[in-house]
Amino acid sequence: PRLSGYEVCKALRGDGARYPIVLLTARQEEIDKLMGFEMGADDYVTKPFSVRELLARIKAILAREERKEPRKERYAFDEFVLDTAGHTLTRRGTEIPLTRTEFELLAYFLAHAGQALTRDQLLKDVWGTENYGTQRSLDTFVAILRSKIEKRPQYPKRIVTVHRVGYKFVG
């Protein structure tokens, strides 16, 4: 009762929890949803909701977890190493903090390096459904990732915009 759902979610993810987390909340503003995802939630359901909708969302999350492609244990680029087993990003041995969504998005980019990825594809494969995130929230997460891995985020060299398509990781 003394902690918010955001704090519980952040604490669980901070302890390395990898199981899906669904936030059930009355907060409906976009900023609240973005904060939930930033803390590591896999889904965000606002009250009132039907039990059938909640069960459908849980089934979708579990199905997505089962469909996840096996990915390499480590990806290296520039001075960075993304360790998928340890769920860390390091730069010259120093850990760069990432939220779960940032981590999953970067891992997806690295697993599909060189491919032009549509915004819809990124939302579906990283967030789980087209209704889960918005293109604006995707753009926000890309900007955050750029600020963490690009030397000059305003002129990205790694996560580049493919106009009228989406994004591409240039490896």
Side-chain angles (χ1 to χ4, degrees):
R2 289 182 222 115
L3 296 176
S4 72
Y6 300 128
E7 293 168 319
V8 171
C9 185
K10 185 177 180 180
L12 289 170
R13 291 296 184 223
D15 288 343
R18 292 193 182 162
Y19 43 79
I21 296 174
V22 178
L23 291 179
L24 305 175
T25 178
R27 295 175 178 235
Q28 297 183 5
E29 298 297 319
E30 181 182 27
I31 189 70
D32 297 318
K33 293 176 185 179
L34 289 174
M35 196 160 103
F37 294 131
E38 181 77 18
M39 295 299 136
D42 293 283
D43 202 349
Y44 190 101
V45 180
T46 58
K47 297 175 187 176
F49 59 88
S50 74
V51 172
R52 285 194 293 191
E53 177 190 2
L54 178 61
L55 290 175
R57 287 175 177 265
I58 290 170
K59 283 174 74 174
I61 288 170
L62 294 175
R64 184 178 82 237
E65 290 293 318
E66 287 178 9
R67 286 192 316 266
K68 276 192 176 173
E69 303 168 11
R71 56 187 179 195
K72 290 178 13 181
E73 191 170 304
R74 295 171 71 94
Y75 294 93
F77 62 99
D78 298 333
E79 304 165 331
F80 296 93
V81 174
L82 185 81
D83 178 353
T84 60
H87 213 269
T88 58
L89 174 68
T90 55
R91 181 175 182 224
R92 288 191 236 136
T94 302
E95 189 170 339
I96 308 296
L98 294 177
T99 66
R100 180 171 189 205
T101 303
E102 292 165 359
F103 182 89
E104 293 299 329
L105 184 58
L106 182 57
Y108 192 85
F109 275 130
L110 290 166
H112 298 87
Q115 297 177 28
L117 303 168
T118 67
R119 285 177 167 82
D120 287 340
Q121 181 182 2
L122 289 164
L123 288 169
K124 181 177 173 276
D125 291 348
V126 176
W127 273 261
T129 74
E130 275 107 346
N131 299 328
Y132 194 27
T134 65
Q135 290 191 2
R136 201 162 67 184
S137 62
L138 170 62
D139 295 340
T140 300
F141 276 99
V142 168
I144 292 167
L145 273 180
R146 285 175 171 164
S147 73
K148 293 182 178 187
I149 68 168
E150 299 277 2
K151 289 182 181 172
R152 296 180 356 165
Q154 64 275 29
Y155 304 106
K157 300 286 186 208
R158 287 291 178 202
I159 302 175
V160 297
T161 301
V162 179
H163 293 287
R164 298 184 185 186
V165 176
Y167 296 101
K168 174 170 55 173
F169 187 88
V170 178

